[in-house]
Amino acid sequence: MAVKILDGKIMSAEIKAEITERVAALKVQGVTPGLAVILVGNDPASEIYVRNKQIGCDETGMNGRTIRLRADISQEALEAEIDRLNRDSAVHGILVQLPLPGHLDEQAVLAKILPEKDVDGFHLINAGHMMTGTEGVVACTPKGALHMIRSTGEELAGKEAVVIGRSNIVGKPMAMLLLRENCTVTICHSRTKNLKEHTRRADILVAAVGKAGFVTADMVKPGAIVIDVGINRVDGKVRGDVDFDAVKEVAGWITPVPGGVGKMTIAMLLANTLEAAERTLRHD
Ligand code: NAD
């Protein structure tokens, strides 16, 4: 069976088209979804991510706002800024671009964001919703990855799913989402022994490791759905965690990098912001 490419550019464009329509409908009701992105300092990679988020807002008709703060801002001043945005009814989503400079307490900053405005889904309340399977904001990258997995049309219940990586922003929520889909889920990490034995059983393999070309063809079950979350800069080029050229000869479906999960992450951020704005109308 020839491999099918799960194209994040095409999929995210479809999602953004639907979001644009829903934003227009909300505007008729007097609400323009607003996303505030806080960027502390001027890390070059963060600058790119923030710019792409702003472009996404512009494309879909949302109010995107980037708040640039000095790298030496104090914890108190940053938290005060978040309080201000929490109170601003024109702001439906607040995102703090990570990583923050080392002197700032990241967890305390994220905890300051109102859970209903936490469009990244990183607040402990939203992490709790993820654990219990109750309604909350789902983290953008795993949400986008799941959308791609679902797009295969395969029955997910009972499938063996292996997630490589156990971070709070990708690996763990990804595993929880797959569990919700009734997959049998294995989480592998840096201390996992005989990694290949696990990955070769996977009908669905998600790589969120942060090492270019880490997943090789001999680690993949023939016909598997392979989702590459990795974004690694090598010699000025962006590469995924999967050795794409070799793995595409074995996999049934595969996501490219660039043009894969990264595109979906932004689409899901816009979706989360839209949903946050729609919720405010329901609560009026
Ligand atoms: P992280 O560094 O927090 O976590 C990496 C995980 O990989 C860890 O849990 C670790 O246990 C595991 N790991 C490391 N070495 C391993 C090994 N030899 N064997 C098995 N597991 C190993 O990273 P993260 O924040 O989860 O991000 C992972 C990757 O995804 C990075 O490349 C990051 O840039 C990318 N990312 C992409 C998006 C997107 O939108 N596509 C979003 C977030 C992160």
Side-chain angles (χ1 to χ4, degrees):
M1 183 178 95
V3 70
K4 295 195 182 78
I5 307 292
L6 297 169
D7 189 322
K9 275 191 210 157
I10 294 174
M11 257 181 245
S12 64
E14 286 165 1
I15 293 166
K16 282 196 273 188
E18 192 209 314
I19 290 174
T20 306
E21 280 179 22
R22 278 165 66 187
V23 169
L26 261 191
K27 282 182 172 171
V28 171
Q29 298 182 72
V31 176
T32 302
L35 172 66
V37 177
I38 298 180
L39 176 61
V40 181
N42 52 6
D43 172 65
S46 294
E47 290 273 2
I48 296 171
Y49 293 138
V50 167
R51 195 173 63 230
N52 288 338
K53 286 164 188 170
Q54 182 65 50
I55 292 170
C57 287
D58 296 344
E59 283 173 349
T60 51
M62 296 192 193
N63 269 337
R65 175 181 336 167
T66 303
I67 296 155
R68 292 171 177 278
L69 301 172
R70 288 167 49 122
D72 61 356
I73 190 168
S74 69
Q75 184 81 23
E76 295 69 31
L78 178 53
E79 291 188 12
E81 184 62 35
I82 292 171
D83 273 337
R84 192 180 65 73
L85 295 169
N86 280 340
R87 288 192 301 270
D88 186 340
S89 60
V91 174
H92 304 96
I94 303 170
L95 181 152
V96 177
Q97 186 63 45
L98 302 179
L100 290 172
H103 68 283
L104 295 167
D105 179 346
E106 219 160 77
Q107 280 309 319
V109 169
L110 296 178
K112 266 279 158 191
I113 301 172
L114 279 179
E116 56 269 33
K117 292 194 179 191
D118 164 43
V119 281
D120 247 344
F122 294 165
H123 192 286
L124 290 182
I125 292 277
N126 286 320
H129 282 303
M130 175 73 82
M131 275 301 284
T132 52
T134 44
E135 198 183 331
V137 182
V138 175
C140 304
T141 299
K143 186 174 178 173
L146 182 65
H147 188 100
M148 297 179 107
I149 294 167
R150 280 197 183 133
S151 78
T152 63
E154 289 287 289
E155 170 69 48
L156 302 187
K159 285 247 184 327
E160 291 282 342
V162 172
V163 178
I164 319 177
R166 57 174 162 182
S167 72
N168 290 332
I169 60 171
V170 189
K172 281 185 207 160
M174 185 76 245
M176 280 300 142
L177 287 182
L178 289 164
L179 188 59
R180 274 203 217 170
E181 297 291 330
N182 296 313
C183 295
T184 302
V185 183
T186 304
I187 304 177
C188 297
H189 48 79
S190 53
R191 307 284 180 89
T192 297
K193 292 200 173 89
N194 306 321
L195 180 65
K196 201 192 293 184
E197 279 177 23
H198 295 285
T199 60
R200 281 190 63 84
R201 280 191 290 109
D203 303 306
I204 301 167
L205 179 61
V206 181
V209 188
K211 293 182 179 163
F214 181 83
V215 174
T216 48
D218 59 331
M219 293 167 72
V220 176
K221 178 176 175 178
I225 301 170
V226 178
I227 305 292
D228 189 351
V229 179
I231 297 180
N232 310 287
R233 285 185 173 73
V234 183
D235 301 330
K237 285 199 179 134
V238 174
R239 289 192 56 202
D241 287 345
V242 175
D243 179 357
F244 182 87
D245 289 338
V247 171
K248 76 174 176 14
E249 302 300 326
V250 184
W253 291 264
I254 190 168
T255 65
V257 177
V261 177
K263 291 272 175 208
M264 296 298 284
T265 296
I266 299 214
M268 293 303 148
L269 172 68
L270 299 170
N272 282 351
T273 305
L274 170 67
E275 285 160 20
E278 288 174 339
R279 274 197 304 273
T280 61
L281 267 191
R282 287 206 292 273
H283 293 155
D284 274 351

